[in-house]
């Protein structure tokens, strides 16, 4: 049972490039989330999904897109990367039957230069 | 909208002494509160939660937290600190009314346990 896994661990992008951050969970959780963590700040919610085929925007969705074709996978797409997207990205999941605690992946550290 | 405040950027404690990491919250309705710990270059790990019931909540690694409704606080505590407790600690509250129960986080508190 690997929990929540994320790839890659690190990535450097040039301004204007695109990339997809991968997130997979093996706990059969319905709910999945993407957060970003900036230095000295708490995590901010980018997008979330309540099940396969259903996604919605969080607090800071601009510049990102997501899809949820399976229960396990919740990739985050960055189009036209900008320096403001330099951050650490965390994927999380929770079971709809749980008391709201979320389980986090190890994160992807992204630098846009 | 809900919010979480962690008033201390850093807390320093000698090993073996009790520790407290402070958290206050603002939310309409009943709060669902959480503490997470983050070790360097790692994801967040769930420590404990308060949903309802006893105001003193026990969690992982000997940590506990005290919910105080009148003071809107949810301070994290441990009776005897270990050097291995040194990490970044986040308090969070469940988002109410949107975000599929996403979490709103405080800015985090660096806990440093000195040998």
């Amino acid at each position: 049972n690997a929990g929540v896994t994320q790839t890659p661990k690190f990535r450097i992008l040039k301004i204007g490039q695109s990339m997809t951050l991968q997130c997979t969970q093996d706990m059969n959780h319905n709910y999945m989330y993407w957060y970003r963590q900036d230095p000295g700040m708490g995590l901010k919610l980018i997008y979330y999904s309540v099940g396969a085929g259903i996604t919605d925007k969080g607090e800071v969705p601009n510049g990102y897109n997501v899809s949820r074709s399976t229960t396990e996978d919740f990739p985050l797409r960055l189009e036209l990367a900008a320096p403001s997207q330099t951050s650490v990205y965390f994927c999380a999941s929770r079971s709809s039957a749980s008391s709201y605690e979320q389980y986090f992946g190890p994160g992807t550290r992204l630098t846009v230069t | 909208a809900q919010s979480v405040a962690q008033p201390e950027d850093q807390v320093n404690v000698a090993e073996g002494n009790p520790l407290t990491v402070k958290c206050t919250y603002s939310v309409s309705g009943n709060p669902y509160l959480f503490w997470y710990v983050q070790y360097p270059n790692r994801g967040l790990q769930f420590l404990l939660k308060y949903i309802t019931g006893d105001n003193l909540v026990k969690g992982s690694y000997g940590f506990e937290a005290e919910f105080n409704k009148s003071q809107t606080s949810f301070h994290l505590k441990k009776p005897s600190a270990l050097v291995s407790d040194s990490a970044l600690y986040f308090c969070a509250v469940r988002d109410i009314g949107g975000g599929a129960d996403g979490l709103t986080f405080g800015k985090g508190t660096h806990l440093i346990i000195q040998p």
Side-chain angles (χ1 to χ4, degrees):
Chain A
N1 188 335
V4 180
T5 57
Q6 293 181 238
T7 56
K9 285 188 169 56
F10 306 94
R11 183 72 186 266
I12 299 174
L13 280 182
K14 293 188 184 306
I15 295 171
Q17 287 185 321
S18 301
M19 77 165 293
T20 299
L21 282 66
Q22 301 292 344
C23 174
T24 300
Q25 53 91 9
D26 62 0
M27 298 175 282
N28 201 32
H29 285 174
N30 288 326
Y31 292 73
M32 295 188 74
Y33 307 84
W34 274 105
Y35 293 90
R36 59 177 287 172
Q37 182 184 28
D38 298 316
M41 306 291 290
L43 282 70
K44 293 192 182 296
L45 183 64
I46 305 172
Y47 269 95
Y48 65 92
S49 169
V50 300
I54 307 170
T55 63
D56 208 344
K57 296 176 181 178
E59 184 184 355
V60 290
N62 290 345
Y64 307 95
N65 273 300
V66 294
S67 59
R68 184 96 182 268
S69 57
T70 66
T71 298
E72 294 78 20
D73 299 309
F74 190 40
L76 178 72
R77 178 83 177 160
L78 278 72
E79 305 282 2
L80 298 174
S84 61
Q85 294 178 303
T86 294
S87 189
V88 181
Y89 292 83
F90 289 102
C91 180
S93 72
R94 76 169 180 91
S95 166
S96 58
S98 74
S99 298
Y100 304 101
E101 66 263 29
Q102 297 177 16
Y103 296 91
F104 285 78
T108 295
R109 185 174 295 273
L110 176 67
T111 301
V112 182
T113 62
Chain B
Q2 54 279 327
S3 65
V4 174
Q6 293 181 242
E8 302 153 318
D9 289 335
Q10 184 169 305
V11 171
N12 295 285
V13 177
E15 187 177 25
N17 283 0
L19 69 88
T20 298
V21 182
K22 295 179 181 177
C23 171
T24 59
Y25 66 90
S26 173
V27 63
S28 56
N30 293 324
Y32 288 24
L33 296 158
F34 305 83
W35 276 102
Y36 283 83
V37 60
Q38 185 180 31
Y39 297 100
N41 301 312
R42 302 287 295 276
L44 278 70
Q45 294 180 32
F46 170 71
L47 276 180
L48 52 78
K49 66 186 177 195
Y50 172 84
I51 305 295
T52 187
D54 274 345
N55 289 342
L56 187 63
V57 179
K58 294 191 184 298
S60 305
Y61 312 122
F63 283 94
E64 56 192 26
E66 186 169 12
F67 171 68
N68 187 316
K69 187 172 184 177
S70 63
Q71 296 186 1
T72 61
S73 66
F74 189 55
H75 299 333
L76 182 70
K77 303 184 180 200
K78 188 173 183 182
S80 179
L82 300 172
V83 172
S84 57
D85 293 330
S86 298
L88 181 58
Y89 290 80
F90 289 99
C91 183
V93 65
R94 170 197 170 205
D95 290 338
I96 296 174
D101 299 310
L103 298 174
T104 295
F105 287 84
K107 292 184 178 182
T109 299
H110 284 98
L111 176 63
I112 298 174
I113 309 301
Q114 293 151 335

